[in-house]
Structure formats: C-alpha cells, structure tokens
Amino acid sequence: MINTNEKLAVYNVWANDTLLRHLDKTVAETGQPIPANVLRLFSHVLNAQYIWIGRLTNTPSPVKVWQEHPLEELHRMHEQTSERWLGMVRVADDAELSRTITYTNSAGDGFTSVVSDIFTHMPVHANYHRGQVAIKMRDAGLEPINTDFITYCRQLDAGQVVSL
C-alpha cells in the first residue's frame, strides 16, 4: 500500500531541494542576487514548515510566517525542517493521523485541525507558493524550474531521484 502522506512529504523535500539548487545555479550564472520577492515567497514556504512542526509538537516556532531570509539561510532551514517533517510523517500511526490539534494562526485566530489534513496541507501549500516563485522569476527575466509532482514521479520511476 502506498503511503500518500509520506510520498507527498518526500516530494516536497525534492521540490524544495530542486528549487534551492536552481536558485544557486541562477545566482552563479547571472552573477545577480535572487529577487527579493522570490526569496520572500520561498522563505514563507520554509517558515511554514517550522511553524507546522511547532504546532504539531506544541513547541514555539523560531520564525514568523512572512519572515524573510537570505538564500544561504533557506538552505539551512530546508535541511533542519525537512528531515524532521519526514520523520514525523513516517512514524505517524492511525492514532496520530486522526489526532486533532488546536492552534492559533498568525492573525490570532484559533483553529482545530486533524494531523492527516496538516500532512496534506504542507506540500499543497508549498506547491502553491513555489508556483508563485516561478511566476516571479519569469517576471524578473529568469528561468523558473519545474517542481511539479508528476515531474518528481517521472524522475522517481526513471531512477533519477533517490527516495529519501
């Protein structure tokens, strides 16, 4: 049986890693920094990983929702949060998947969500913002990178991606 939560979590790590490597390559090839609006959006993606990990573990997040980070820091954040997120998804049993958590969002509104929904939300949310990153890169005259889920699946099936 395929663990969809795990597959989406691994995909999300791949997509973030693919985008980070592409941003590094873009800087190296153009000699220009990544546009601030691109970094802002991708910072938000990685901030969200910290925030959701904090919510799921009832620990404070070290970052704010729209806190901005330089490219070097995004690499560090990706390393720190991705491994932890994957670990949480992989060990989640039925009790964990059906557990509800109550939290307050950045606007101060309270919510209750099921862990399995959060596990789905994370990669979907990140995908939405990676799409925005692609648009902002193109607007700045830079070539975006394809981080579509099906692209990941094709590369995985062709043995071009090492499963984490």
Side-chain angles (χ1 to χ4, degrees), residues 16 43 62 66 76-77 80 129 136 138 150:
N16 287 341
S43 291
W66 286 102
R76 187 188 68 73
M77 292 172 69
Q80 290 183 342
H129 290 297
K136 297 297 183 187
R138 194 170 304 281
I150 200 66

Side-chain angles (χ1 to χ4, degrees), residues 28-141:
E29 290 177 352
T30 67
Q32 300 294 316
I34 298 300
N37 57 1
V38 169
L39 291 177
R40 181 175 194 266
L41 286 165
F42 198 50
S43 291
H44 176 66
V45 168
L46 296 177
N47 291 340
Q49 289 187 176
Y50 268 119
I51 290 165
W52 282 110
I53 288 168
R55 289 173 179 165
L56 288 166
T57 60
N58 201 28
T59 58
S61 168
V63 296
K64 301 293 182 203
V65 173
W66 286 102
Q67 185 175 338
E68 297 177 32
H69 309 282
L71 184 55
E72 303 77 32
E73 178 67 9
L74 294 176
H75 279 279
R76 187 188 68 73
M77 292 172 69
H78 170 61
E79 275 186 33
Q80 290 183 342
T81 59
S82 296
E83 186 175 318
R84 183 138 186 233
W85 184 261
L86 275 175
M88 293 171 70
V89 170
R90 284 183 168 143
V91 301
D93 58 12
D94 287 343
E96 176 63 6
L97 291 172
S98 61
R99 179 173 68 100
T100 59
I101 65 165
T102 302
Y103 57 92
T104 304
N105 70 6
S106 61
D109 300 322
F111 293 95
T112 299
S113 295
V114 178
V115 170
S116 63
D117 291 343
I118 295 166
F119 285 172
T120 302
H121 169 73
M122 271 290 299
V124 171
H125 173 263
N127 229 22
Y128 172 78
H129 290 297
R130 283 190 298 266
Q132 291 177 316
V133 165
I135 290 168
K136 297 297 183 187
M137 288 186 73
R138 194 170 304 281
D139 288 349

Side-chain angles (χ1 to χ4, degrees), residues 7 149-163:
K7 189 168 187 176
F149 177 71
I150 200 66
T151 301
Y152 163 75
C153 292
R154 289 174 186 151
Q155 290 182 10
L156 184 65
D157 290 345
Q160 297 169 334
V161 174
V162 177
S163 184

